[in-house]
Amino acid sequence: TSGELLKEWRIVLDKIELDQLPVLKRSRSGDVLTGRLALAGTQIDYVAKRARRKHWWRYLNEIGRGSRSARAWKKAWSLVVRRIPTAWPILLIQQRKFGYVTDQVILFERLPGDTLQQTDLNALGQPDRERLFWRIGRLLHRVERSGLYLYDSKATNWIIMPDERLGPTPALIDVDGLRPFRWPGEGGIKRLLRSVRELPQYQPMDEAALLRGYAPEQTR
């Protein structure tokens, strides 16, 4: 119910204000925190992102575009409605002053698993490893085929979820780099390939499987 949601949201805000949530990342651009809330009798693990502006002109830059959190909310839902695996957005709150957003927090569900960068690839069997990179390439292909383009497709923006039946399964997180148009320059598959090549356990066969998933018609 809306009353239950409001109550949980106030609890989350209090914990953020009192710095009581575990920190996943903290930088000049904002905090990434984690916690758990209860909705409809279900415990939900979440990731909370509290964005900050590093420069004053960001206030002007957001006129007509919305805040960073509001844009992330729309981008995440644009993937959900396309049935593309991603972290579901749960809650968005914004505080305004004189029409400008002065504080913002967005909550996403916390997906199980590690990022691609953190995944122990050598612990995977050869079929699972090859299938994982094929799925990553195929998922990026699905995103682009749906009319969206992921320019920040680095290894930290992919969660590898364990699945006893399907094996390691990729999903997208932190989709700030998602755009509804294509522009020249590095992005998408080029950015992903550069990131994969920097993985400590990288092997050329990983790249080959990724490319087969992304553009099977070019790798026959």
Side-chain angles (χ1 to χ4, degrees):
T1 65
S2 58
E4 182 184 19
L5 188 61
L6 181 59
K7 178 182 177 181
E8 288 296 326
W9 187 231
R10 286 172 175 165
I11 293 173
V12 171
L13 282 180
D14 288 343
K15 289 182 177 180
I16 291 175
E17 291 296 335
L18 295 173
D19 202 18
Q20 294 178 343
L21 293 177
V23 177
L24 298 178
K25 180 182 177 182
R26 180 163 281 166
S27 67
R28 288 179 59 202
S29 62
D31 298 338
V32 182
L33 314 166
T34 185
R36 175 175 289 183
L37 56 78
L39 289 177
T42 302
Q43 296 292 321
I44 301 175
D45 292 322
Y46 65 82
V47 172
K49 297 184 178 182
R50 189 180 200 179
R52 297 192 188 93
R53 299 175 181 85
K54 293 188 289 185
H55 307 285
W56 66 266
W57 48 263
R58 289 290 187 186
Y59 286 96
L60 302 178
N61 183 257
E62 290 179 354
I63 295 176
R65 301 174 65 218
S67 70
R68 180 177 168 189
S69 295
R71 297 197 304 271
W73 178 268
K74 292 178 181 178
K75 290 174 182 179
W77 278 111
S78 71
L79 292 178
V80 171
V81 299
R82 288 170 169 81
R83 303 176 65 86
I84 292 172
T86 190
W88 275 58
I90 302 173
L91 293 169
L92 169 67
I93 191 169
Q94 301 180 110
Q95 184 176 356
R96 295 178 182 272
K97 188 173 183 179
F98 304 122
Y100 293 98
V101 174
T102 57
D103 198 4
Q104 51 188 298
V105 181
I106 184 171
L107 263 63
F108 293 91
E109 67 167 325
R110 185 172 187 179
L111 298 177
D114 296 321
T115 66
L116 176 58
Q117 186 180 56
Q118 298 169 327
T119 298
D120 184 359
L121 298 174
N122 291 340
L124 299 177
Q126 182 58 34
D128 278 344
R129 181 169 180 157
E130 183 175 349
R131 191 179 301 113
L132 170 61
F133 279 95
W134 183 90
R135 286 173 172 170
I136 292 172
R138 197 61 179 168
L139 185 52
L140 184 60
H141 176 79
R142 280 183 58 194
V143 172
E144 295 183 359
R145 190 174 59 184
S146 75
L148 299 173
Y149 302 92
L150 184 63
Y151 289 91
D152 196 15
S153 53
K154 58 190 177 183
T156 54
N157 289 342
W158 298 82
I159 283 286
I160 309 304
M161 300 184 294
D163 189 302
E164 293 183 0
R165 184 173 64 88
L166 300 176
T169 303
L172 292 168
I173 58 170
D174 199 3
V175 293
D176 286 349
L178 199 66
R179 300 287 185 274
F181 50 81
R182 184 191 294 273
W183 62 42
E186 185 178 89
I189 189 62
K190 291 183 180 179
R191 180 68 181 94
L192 179 55
L193 286 174
R194 184 162 68 88
S195 182
V196 167
R197 291 164 185 162
E198 294 172 353
L199 297 176
Q201 298 175 350
Y202 165 79
Q203 295 183 18
M205 65 178 184
D206 302 328
E207 184 171 318
L210 191 154
L211 288 173
R212 284 198 301 273
Y214 178 74
E217 68 280 357
Q218 298 179 17
T219 55
R220 290 174 181 171

